[in-house]
């Protein structure tokens, strides 16, 4: 099966990104044809620093590898290096109804007064990413579900107008961890762009940072450690995080933690997080000194992606009467 997914190079990755996206990628990489992209063209739809962009792309490639993606098995590359993404985005814009773009939740959340067209067209570029590789499955977190659905819609519209061209992609959400919440405000999702650093645990936070953040994590009124999203969003989120890290069912974690105070439970979550993130930190430190190697992986990935993308675009141009 062809799998495609991507993460923006800006901001540091947190455990929400790991459980929502990367962990699924790891589970899929052995049995499927996987393409994992660092989506720099998406990252520039909000204000950013051009000086830092290349460094951030390299850093994300290091994260992918540190997390365990195997460059012998999967394609890893930066989106802007394969020009077909931009070209297909433009062509898909011609079949995408504006109204559907305006109703995207992420657009409504991010759009401010002076918003640029790039933010509105963000889902069309994402559709181009996905459709260019005949993708069947898109493993992402819950917040991206709507974007994969619009990609499917766009593919259907294109096929109807120009003949069978694109595979209709399906979203794949993890069973648990599709929406990890902020530890500072469990009503919001954990996010890279949250100005409050204490709201997220980054994959490369030091043990001290992890302990400090979890110590101040928001819990709820009451005393029992029980999963109840509505009445106990804070504790439920911490239970989810613990169960994902420990690879245990939530009900088993509840039993294990029975009788503990919230404070003691948070310490348990902190110690497990420190332990489980340690291999990432080690691998990242090791790879940080191997820039040439990582660049070579990106270059090879880019070459392989380009072959696939060029062949698909030949077909698309023909279907649209452009050659
Ligand atoms: P982003 O941080 O927007 O670049 O997202 C990269 C990937 O992580 C996407 O597949 C998102 O759906 C996923 N993701 C982001 N935040 C979370 C979260 N809080 N919980 C679960 N998945 C997430
Ligand atoms: N929009 C996605 C996010 O912010 C990133 C992304 C871009 C993506 N293109 C994609 C994810 C294609 C899956 C498939 O998380």
């Amino acid at each position: 099966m062809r799998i495609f997914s991507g993460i923006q190079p800006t901001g540091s990755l947190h455990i929400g990104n790991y459980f929502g996206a990367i962990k699924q990628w790891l589970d899929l990489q052995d049995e499927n044809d996987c393409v994992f992209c660092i989506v720099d063209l998406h990252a520039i739809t909000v204000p950013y620093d051009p000086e830092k962009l290349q460094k951030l792309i390299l850093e994300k490639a290091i994260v992918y590898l540190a997390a365990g993606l195997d460059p012998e098995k999967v394609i890893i590359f930066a989106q802007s290096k394969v020009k077909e993404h931009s070209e297909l985005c433009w062509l898909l814009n011609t079949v995408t109804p504006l109204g559907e773009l305006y109703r995207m939740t992420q657009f409504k959340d991010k759009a401010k007064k002076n918003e640029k067209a790039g933010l509105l067209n963000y889902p069309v570029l994402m559709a181009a990413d996905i459709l260019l590789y005949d993708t069947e499955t898109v493993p992402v977190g819950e917040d991206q579900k709507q974007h994969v659905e619009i990609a499917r819609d766009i593919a259907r519209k294109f096929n109807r107008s120009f003949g069978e061209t694109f595979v209709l992609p399906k979203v794949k959400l993890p069973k648990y961890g599709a929406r990890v919440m902020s530890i500072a405000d469990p009503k919001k999702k954990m996010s890279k762009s949250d100005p409050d650093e204490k709201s997220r645990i980054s994959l490369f936070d030091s043990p001290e940072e992890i302990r400090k953040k979890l110590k101040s994590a928001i819990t709820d009124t009451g005393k029992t450690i029980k999963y109840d999203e509505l009445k106990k969003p804070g504790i439920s989120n911490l239970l989810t995080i613990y169960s994902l890290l420990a690879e245990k069912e939530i009900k088993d974690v509840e039993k294990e933690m029975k009788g503990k105070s919230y404070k003691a439970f948070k310490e348990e979550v902190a110690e497990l997080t420190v332990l489980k993130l340690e291999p990432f930190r080690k691998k990242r430190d090791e790879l940080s000194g191997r820039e040439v190697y990582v660049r070579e992986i990106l270059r090879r990935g880019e070459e392989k992606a380009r072959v696939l993308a060029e062949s698909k675009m030949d077909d698309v141009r023909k279907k649209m009467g452009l050659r």
Side-chain angles (χ1 to χ4, degrees), residues 94-318:
T94 66
V95 298
T96 306
L98 257 184
E100 287 198 22
L101 297 177
Y102 280 117
R103 71 172 181 81
M104 290 288 113
T105 313
Q106 185 173 297
F107 175 72
K108 287 194 276 188
D109 287 350
K110 285 196 188 171
K112 303 192 192 72
K113 252 196 250 142
N114 281 318
E115 221 32 271
K116 313 290 183 289
L119 193 69
L120 181 67
N121 285 322
Y122 181 112
V124 188
L125 179 58
M126 182 159 158
D129 299 342
I130 296 169
L131 303 181
L132 201 45
Y133 298 94
D134 288 332
T135 305
E136 291 164 80
T137 302
V138 187
V140 283
E142 216 237 8
D143 59 343
Q144 296 302 315
K145 184 168 176 249
Q146 201 181 30
H147 288 159
V148 181
E149 282 162 1
I150 200 178
R152 191 180 165 87
D153 249 33
I154 292 174
R156 203 183 284 119
K157 287 200 169 74
F158 188 102
N159 289 351
R160 213 178 288 140
S161 303
F162 299 104
E164 260 336 283
T165 310
F166 295 120
V167 173
L168 304 187
K170 282 201 196 81
V171 67
K172 186 173 186 301
L173 302 181
K175 194 161 163 223
Y176 302 106
R179 190 174 171 83
V180 176
M181 307 309 277
S182 154
I183 57 172
D185 177 359
K187 285 193 252 354
K188 294 197 295 199
K189 69 166 188 175
M190 187 177 283
S191 158
K192 282 184 200 165
S193 54
D194 193 321
D196 182 2
E197 275 280 335
K198 291 201 301 302
S199 66
R200 60 184 164 266
I201 296 175
S202 295
L203 287 183
F204 304 111
D205 275 349
S206 67
E208 300 73 53
E209 284 168 315
I210 295 173
R211 290 190 184 106
K212 212 166 118 201
K213 286 179 182 176
L214 277 161
K215 198 168 178 184
S216 63
I218 297 297
T219 49
D220 313 285
T221 52
K223 284 198 178 113
T224 43
I225 297 169
K226 198 156 177 38
Y227 192 92
D228 184 335
E229 262 179 52
L230 282 181
K231 291 198 195 117
K232 288 173 172 282
I235 287 295
S236 301
N237 191 37
L238 293 173
L239 275 167
T240 303
I241 292 172
Y242 190 98
S243 84
L244 286 164
L245 290 169
E247 296 180 63
K248 288 180 184 166
E249 294 291 327
I250 288 185
K251 61 176 182 1
D252 294 329
V253 180
E254 284 174 345
K255 271 189 216 140
E256 203 179 312
M257 297 298 158
K258 201 166 173 213
K260 278 198 199 297
S261 66
Y262 284 172
K263 180 165 174 281
F265 173 49
K266 289 200 286 185
E267 281 165 12
E268 294 276 356
V269 181
E271 288 320 307
L272 185 66
T273 310
V274 168
L275 185 77
K276 293 286 176 168
L277 294 188
E278 190 184 82
F280 290 122
R281 284 193 300 276
K282 282 214 173 113
K283 195 85 197 287
R284 198 255 329 236
D285 292 348
E286 186 192 311
L287 287 162
S288 296
R290 299 177 63 196
E291 203 177 307
V292 177
Y293 164 75
V294 180
R295 282 195 193 287
E296 181 56 19
I297 288 173
L298 283 174
R299 201 193 52 77
R300 272 194 286 154
E302 178 188 319
E303 264 173 16
K304 288 187 211 154
R306 194 174 293 127
V307 173
L308 299 169
E310 278 175 352
S311 131
K312 191 74 199 174
M313 278 311 292
D314 267 352
D315 183 30
V316 174
R317 286 187 209 106
K318 263 188 219 132

